[in-house]
Amino acid sequence: MADPATRQQRADTHPMTGHAIMAPVVTPTSRVMVGRDAELAELCSLLGVSVSSGAGAGRTTAAVLLGGDAGVGKTRLLTELRDVAFTEGWQVVAGHCLDFGDSALPYLPFTEVLGRLAADQPDLVAEVSSVHPALARLQPGRRVLSGDLPQEPSGSTLDRAELFEALHVLLVEAARRGPLLLVVEDAHWADQSTRDMLSFLFSRPVPGAGLVVSYRADDLHRRHPLRRQVAEWARLRDVGRVQLSPLPESAVRDLVAELAPELPEATLRSVTADIVSRAEGNAFFVEELVGAAVSYDGRTDELPVDLADVLLVRLDRLDDTARQVVRAASVSGRRVSHEMLRAVAGLDDTALDTGLRGAVDLNVLVADRGDYAFRHALLGEAVYDDLLPGERVRLHSAYAAALTSGTAPGTAAELARHARAAMDLDIALDASVRAGREAAQVGAPDEAAQHLQAALELLADPRRTAGESTDVSKLAVEAGDALSAAGHPARAAGLVGEQLDRLPADAPPGWRARLLSARATYLYVVDTDEDLLAMSQQAVDLVPEDAGGLRARVLANHARILGGYERYDEAQAYGLEALALAERLDLQTIASDAVTTVAGLRNAPVERVRAALADAVEQAQGAGALPAELRGRFLLARSHQDAGEWDEAVRWFRTAVDRARTGRVPWAPYGFEARWQWAAIEMLRGQWDVAERLLDTTGEVPPPIAAAMLDSVGVVMAQARGERVATRLRVLRRVWDQEIAVAIGSAGVEMLEVASVEDPLAPVRVHEAAVELLSRLWHPWFSARVRLSATAVGALAHVAPRVGSARRAEVLAVVERLLGEGRTTVEHHQDWGPEGRAWSDRLEAEALRARWLLGAGVELEELTAAWRAVEQGYDALGHVLELARTRVVLATVLRARGDLTASREVADLARATAHRLGLTPMLEELRSLGSTPVRQSAEPESLTPRETEILALVAQGRSNGEIGKQLFISTKTVSVHVSNILAKLGAAGRTEASAIARRRGLVE
């Protein structure tokens, strides 16, 4: 870490301390102002800087005090204000106060202002100087070093008054030539003379001019000379005050995304969550941390050196006692109690109070509800990082001793942290286990996993002195359960697998059985080619007959895995055995899990299965067995989903999502899957606004696989709306082998994305990659293969009319092969549900269309009948997007038959869906088809107030982006509204809609 002098030198030249309103930026900065629109609007309103009011008209104040912490965004806001003022025809001049300590140059910012005016309007400055010669004393050229000694002062009081009057006259004359905005930055560094000049200007407003004075609020400690003066200025009638608060979390997220577009999505999510927590809304800190993340592949665990130096300048201003207190406080983290500081600081009460007073007065610490906290979390980090290694160990030891003895209150998590840093590994182990179990009990699985994994590491550390007495298998499964509940089952399986490999050969068989059984259940909910049945059976064989609760758990887990492999009779037998043992031992959680497994076995009529599952859910809820309850709710929902009963499926999925959220395990197995399946249903039935809300993870940090699963639904809607999805598809392709749902969901989108005349078989290669993977992880004739085959054949049919004659036979042969594979898949599934039947019909119809377009001699009557069947299937299923796509094809076929009326009617139905959902490519396809809407004689559907508002802006020629900015809504939302407007007006485009609106008197 740099010494204080070096830190001060870096800080003086750093953008946060040596900036200017138009200075170049050396740290990564956003190209657009983020999160400050309201403050900019307030400044413009106070000063009258707007188009509608005219220059300076309608303002409510002549001057504004702009306060905020260092780095919060004052300079950026003033730069935006400057740009707005320039646009409105204002003159803008700026002066800056600099930190010269006791060598401050009087009136420095006004010398800068005078220099700017002299450069831009020399005649004005010369004219005023001729009448008010005192003004010449401020000219930059008069204030540089020369060999001449200044004359002795005479009549200083008169000269001072003349100087004030001269500057005031200059500003008045400048404002007469055009509205003037005067900005004085960093007034916390202002000398007394500058503060007196500002007092004069505040008390004598300049007509046609606005004055903005900015200062750092966190620098105004109790003895700072500006603190009293700001309070006095704020009481003046013509002075307004704007306090710039930290950016809200949403704005910080937008800023991070703007600054780091090159980071992978998963890394960006993690980096964003970390920066939101640490930067606390400070824009400068956000930029510095993003710069570090970009430079170091997403790592943000260490502070950038420049940022640390800037922060530590504040520490260098403290005396030795205050510095000692602050260093002791930094070991605690952000907040520390007075009792703890008394125990660890090594000071008597008087010295401690003196040190705390100094730290509080200089805004390093703030007193809050009996505790002390760093003014900013990153300041605490910088102080801690600046400690010597010996200091850290000594202070952590003192904290651990205070917590162990009860001298100061604290948590097991705090004790674990301090004991580990103090190298007291035995205490750290006990505290970590306790902290992990406490976190699990209050629904904090991520934190529980972190503490328990730390405990496992400590168990394996040879430096511990205490004897071995911990059952490592129990601890490992607790950690695995926490990881699974946090949405990381694959990591849980990996952790337990590592512990299995570390078990000595003479370990108790129950330990190995517990680890094997747990690992099998973790892998059961992810995609793997490991033999889970063999793994689980090995656990059953190893667990002793008299193992009690452990045997009940292993049997219950084995029953669940057998059920997943459709070995229902064996699953029922093991499940009932587990249930009997759990009830005898009064183990309600295991009993609920076994009941849920047995109830969900599909070896009984569906209504009986549903009734049994409902009873199991009720029992699990009563026993507090949340994992079993979530599984029961999910299985009930899936039962209705398979039958195409969307409302009931959504009802049960919603309850599972709600219970997972209230249980604080939103990413746990079955809780998250319920959210994903619910979103897929809403997408399917055309409730895309609901689906988008479920897919939106703003403010959340989903596990990578969960994020990919959600995006596999979102990318379907995005592609249908014409958005670019190639990058998203590449990201999703990388996780195909980790989650088959992502492969199934995104493979179809990728097939449509790569379809082209240049390479007509590109969709088939995507299809083959997906089928090869899924066959290996699942089995060759998995049900979704029909859907993939239908999509692949449809992609071939799409490009068939433009395929050259030399390749038509090749493409046709591929179509026939895919059709045959799809038919074989159908034969392997006798209990085909409505969705399976719809896709089976789609495959047959797409094959007929491909043959027809490739010139294989298909009768149009047969083709029409096939697509009518597909239309009926999707209509009955309620699949809105695929129904619309089917109707576009059907309209084409009907048109080819010469049935133009039927073609237009079907096309109109597709067009209505396309308008409602914003399916731009489909609308273009319908226009290229030559199908115009069938004109209706009924009265047109009325527009909503929001649609009327947007229509007026469309008629003015505004783009969707411009409309979104004006109405503070997203561009996508505007697009959907415009599509609805076009549908209601029966317009083919924006120009026609504008003409119809004017004709009907809807807009002026």
Side-chain angles (χ1 to χ4, degrees):
M1 184 60 68
D3 59 84
T6 303
R7 283 201 298 264
Q8 184 64 58
Q9 182 180 13
R10 289 178 180 171
D12 287 342
T13 58
H14 202 280
M16 191 175 82
T17 51
H19 57 259
I21 195 169
M22 298 176 218
V25 179
V26 296
T27 52
T29 56
S30 172
R31 293 184 295 274
V32 296
M33 186 176 68
V34 176
R36 296 300 185 195
D37 291 342
E39 290 87 346
L40 178 61
E42 183 179 6
L43 281 175
C44 291
S45 175
L46 288 171
L47 297 169
V49 181
S50 66
V51 178
S52 59
S53 61
R59 69 183 183 185
T60 58
T61 63
V64 174
L65 293 167
L66 177 64
D69 286 0
V72 80
K74 299 183 297 298
T75 296
R76 186 55 188 269
L77 177 61
L78 290 174
T79 302
E80 292 291 328
L81 177 64
R82 175 205 65 184
D83 293 344
V84 173
F86 275 146
T87 302
E88 301 304 324
W90 286 56
Q91 308 170 78
V92 182
V93 289
H96 302 84
C97 305
L98 299 179
D99 185 14
F100 288 138
D102 295 332
S103 302
L105 185 65
Y107 307 115
L108 177 61
F110 298 105
T111 293
E112 185 180 352
V113 168
L114 180 59
R116 172 61 61 186
L117 287 173
D120 293 344
Q121 304 179 63
D123 59 323
L124 171 66
V125 175
E127 179 183 338
V128 174
S129 297
S130 65
V131 179
H132 299 276
L135 190 64
R137 298 187 181 184
L138 292 180
Q139 291 182 359
R142 296 284 297 274
R143 310 195 74 183
V144 298
L145 285 175
S146 66
D148 299 330
L149 293 175
Q151 298 179 355
E152 294 183 5
S154 61
S156 59
T157 303
L158 178 62
D159 288 347
R160 183 182 175 92
E162 287 181 356
L163 183 62
F164 284 16
E165 182 63 26
L167 183 66
H168 188 267
V169 170
L170 176 66
L171 296 176
V172 169
E173 293 302 320
R176 285 177 178 169
R177 298 189 175 190
L180 175 70
L181 176 63
L182 171 61
V183 177
V184 177
E185 280 205 83
D186 298 325
H188 51 282
W189 286 327
D191 60 278
Q192 182 60 53
S193 297
T194 296
R195 294 196 297 271
D196 291 342
M197 178 71 82
L198 288 172
S199 295
F200 177 78
L201 294 176
F202 281 136
S203 61
R204 292 185 61 185
V206 175
L211 171 62
V212 180
V213 177
S214 73
Y215 63 91
R216 287 185 187 171
D218 51 337
D219 268 15
L220 301 193
H221 53 77
R222 297 183 182 182
R223 296 189 301 274
H224 197 290
L226 188 65
R227 184 166 180 158
R228 174 184 57 80
Q229 214 142 19
V230 165
E232 293 176 356
W233 291 339
R235 287 196 292 268
L236 296 175
R237 184 184 61 183
D238 290 322
V239 177
R241 193 168 183 177
V242 174
Q243 190 67 25
L244 209 57
S245 58
L247 291 168
E249 283 192 13
S250 59
V252 173
R253 294 179 187 281
D254 291 342
L255 182 56
V256 174
E258 171 74 20
L259 293 171
E262 66 271 42
L263 288 180
E265 185 173 355
T267 304
L268 181 61
R269 289 177 186 274
S270 175
V271 166
T272 300
D274 181 68
I275 291 177
V276 166
S277 172
R278 296 169 69 196
E280 295 180 328
N282 187 292
F284 168 71
F285 295 164
V286 172
E287 292 174 348
E288 289 287 335
L289 291 174
V290 169
V294 171
S295 300
Y296 297 102
D297 298 326
R299 285 187 53 202
T300 58
D301 51 338
E302 296 183 6
L303 283 179
V305 173
D306 287 348
L307 176 55
D309 287 340
V310 170
L311 290 165
L312 288 174
V313 167
R314 194 175 296 275
L315 184 69
D316 296 335
R317 299 170 184 167
L318 300 175
D319 61 28
D320 289 342
T321 303
R323 195 176 295 123
Q324 184 175 344
V325 171
V326 169
R327 284 173 173 161
S330 73
V331 175
S332 178
R334 176 70 193 276
R335 179 179 295 274
V336 64
S337 68
H338 189 88
E339 292 86 353
M340 181 62 79
L341 278 177
R342 178 187 292 170
V344 304
L347 298 169
D348 59 40
D349 287 350
T350 301
L352 177 62
D353 289 342
T354 300
L356 283 169
R357 173 61 63 188
V360 170
D361 282 349
L362 287 178
N363 280 327
V364 175
L365 297 178
V366 293
D368 182 26
R369 294 171 294 179
D371 294 342
Y372 296 94
F374 281 92
R375 172 83 180 207
H376 197 286
L378 289 183
L379 177 56
E381 289 186 34
V383 175
Y384 180 79
D385 290 344
D386 198 48
L387 294 175
L388 296 173
E391 283 183 295
R392 291 186 191 173
V393 173
R394 178 177 57 79
L395 286 168
H396 279 296
S397 295
Y399 271 90
L403 290 169
T404 302
S405 65
T407 303
T411 64
E414 292 175 280
L415 177 57
R417 171 175 170 263
H418 291 301
R420 189 166 188 174
M423 305 304 294
D424 192 340
L425 303 186
D426 295 315
I427 290 180
L429 171 60
D430 293 339
S432 294
V433 173
R434 181 177 174 183
R437 288 170 178 168
E438 288 177 352
Q441 289 171 359
V442 298
D446 290 286
E447 292 75 13
Q450 180 181 348
H451 289 304
L452 293 170
Q453 287 179 95
L456 287 170
E457 293 173 6
L458 289 167
L459 267 178
D461 196 318
R463 294 173 295 176
R464 287 196 312 113
T465 59
E468 187 62 62
S469 61
T470 304
D471 183 345
V472 67
S473 70
K474 283 186 177 180
L475 193 59
V477 171
E478 286 184 64
D481 287 347
L483 281 170
S484 181
H488 304 287
R491 285 176 54 192
L495 181 145
V496 171
E498 289 177 7
Q499 297 302 319
L500 268 169
D501 293 340
R502 292 180 183 177
L503 278 183
D506 59 349
W511 289 19
R512 193 172 301 277
R514 177 182 284 113
L515 293 173
L516 283 167
S517 180
R519 187 164 187 268
T521 58
Y522 301 146
L523 291 174
Y524 176 71
V525 296
V526 299
D527 298 313
T528 178
D529 53 5
E530 293 195 52
D531 190 342
L532 303 186
L533 276 175
M535 189 186 303
S536 182
Q537 185 64 58
Q538 185 183 357
V540 173
D541 295 339
L542 282 171
V543 68
E545 291 286 341
D546 59 352
L550 173 59
R551 182 168 179 82
R553 168 51 63 198
V554 170
L555 293 174
N557 289 347
H558 192 52
R560 187 193 313 179
I561 292 171
L562 284 166
Y565 282 85
E566 299 181 0
R567 292 167 61 168
Y568 298 133
D569 292 340
E570 295 172 78
Q572 186 170 27
Y574 278 102
L576 292 175
E577 184 180 353
L579 176 60
L581 182 56
E583 288 180 338
R584 186 166 69 249
L585 298 174
D586 196 26
L587 301 175
Q588 294 301 314
T589 299
I590 298 178
S592 295
D593 186 52
V595 166
T596 302
T597 297
V598 173
L601 297 176
R602 299 192 178 190
N603 57 351
V606 65
E607 292 303 326
R608 188 188 304 172
V609 171
R610 290 175 180 174
L613 280 171
D615 291 340
V617 167
E618 185 176 354
Q619 179 176 336
Q621 189 169 5
L626 183 59
E629 180 190 344
L630 293 178
R631 186 157 60 98
R633 294 181 184 277
F634 179 83
L635 293 174
L636 263 169
R638 286 287 291 121
S639 172
H640 291 288
Q641 184 180 21
D642 288 342
E645 299 165 356
W646 306 130
D647 290 340
E648 278 300 296
V650 164
R651 182 172 74 86
W652 283 104
F653 280 139
R654 181 188 287 112
T655 65
V657 171
D658 291 343
R659 289 290 293 132
R661 284 174 175 166
T662 56
R664 299 179 63 185
V665 287
W667 309 110
Y670 303 105
F672 163 70
E673 281 81 355
R675 173 178 174 176
W676 167 66
Q677 292 280 13
W678 180 9
I681 289 177
E682 300 297 7
M683 184 275 292
L684 180 148
R685 61 182 187 173
Q687 301 298 321
W688 285 16
D689 54 341
V690 178
E692 286 171 337
R693 286 197 296 272
L694 290 167
L695 300 176
D696 185 6
T697 57
T698 303
E700 303 176 271
V701 186
I705 298 301
M709 290 174 67
L710 292 174
D711 198 42
S712 69
V713 178
V715 76
V716 175
M717 297 186 291
Q719 185 191 56
R721 283 174 166 162
E723 299 176 22
R724 295 180 179 178
V725 296
T727 300
R728 292 167 66 177
L729 289 171
R730 283 195 295 271
V731 172
L732 292 174
R733 174 71 87 99
R734 290 198 288 267
V735 298
W736 275 18
D737 60 345
Q738 302 173 58
E739 177 53 63
I740 60 176
V742 175
I744 293 172
S746 64
V749 180
E750 188 172 340
M751 283 185 244
L752 298 177
E753 189 74 9
V754 301
S756 67
V757 178
E758 291 76 15
D759 188 4
L761 296 182
V764 179
R765 287 194 292 275
V766 177
H767 171 271
E768 290 173 347
V771 167
E772 187 278 327
L773 173 70
L774 297 173
S775 297
R776 175 166 49 84
L777 294 177
W778 212 348
H779 55 81
W781 306 111
F782 57 93
S783 59
R785 185 166 182 173
V786 173
R787 171 179 160 188
L788 294 177
S789 295
T791 305
V793 175
L796 293 175
H798 180 71
V799 299
R802 299 181 297 280
V803 172
S805 57
R807 301 199 64 182
R808 288 189 177 184
E810 177 188 9
V811 173
L812 186 58
V814 173
V815 169
E816 298 300 336
R817 175 172 62 82
L818 292 174
L819 175 61
E821 292 172 356
R823 286 173 173 171
T824 302
T825 303
V826 173
E827 292 172 0
H828 280 77
H829 296 274
Q830 297 179 356
D831 55 342
W832 213 237
E835 186 170 12
R837 291 192 296 271
W839 281 107
S840 177
D841 290 342
R842 175 74 169 273
L843 173 61
E844 298 288 343
E846 290 287 14
L848 282 173
R849 178 165 74 116
R851 291 170 183 161
W852 174 52
L853 294 171
L854 291 168
V858 174
E859 295 292 334
L860 285 175
E861 185 175 350
E862 180 186 8
L863 185 62
T864 303
W867 281 97
R868 282 293 189 190
V870 177
E871 180 189 30
Q872 292 171 6
Y874 283 134
D875 193 20
L877 181 65
H879 201 317
V880 174
L881 175 60
E882 295 303 335
L883 178 59
R885 286 173 169 168
T886 296
R887 283 171 169 161
V888 172
V889 176
L890 181 57
T892 305
V893 174
L894 289 169
R895 189 175 184 84
R897 288 187 62 186
D899 194 345
L900 299 183
T901 301
S903 174
R904 291 172 62 190
E905 289 174 351
V906 171
D908 277 356
L909 293 173
R911 183 179 291 104
T913 298
H915 278 305
R916 182 171 69 83
L917 299 181
L919 311 180
T920 303
M922 185 176 292
L923 290 171
E924 293 174 353
E925 188 174 1
L926 287 167
R927 278 193 286 272
S928 66
L929 176 63
S931 169
T932 57
V934 177
R935 301 298 180 183
Q936 305 293 328
S937 59
E939 286 297 318
E941 187 177 353
S942 61
L943 301 178
T944 66
R946 174 64 92 183
E947 289 169 348
T948 301
E949 186 178 21
I950 291 174
L951 177 58
L953 296 173
V954 169
Q956 295 173 15
R958 303 287 183 90
S959 69
N960 287 355
E962 292 170 336
I963 294 172
K965 289 181 180 179
Q966 181 165 341
L967 300 182
F968 301 101
I969 57 179
S970 69
T971 302
K972 183 181 294 184
T973 300
V974 175
S975 175
V976 173
H977 279 304
V978 170
S979 295
N980 290 340
I981 291 168
L982 296 180
K984 289 181 179 181
L985 296 180
R990 299 163 78 96
T991 303
E992 184 181 358
S994 300
I996 294 172
R998 291 189 178 93
R999 187 166 62 248
R1000 296 181 182 175
L1002 299 176
V1003 299
E1004 296 181 358

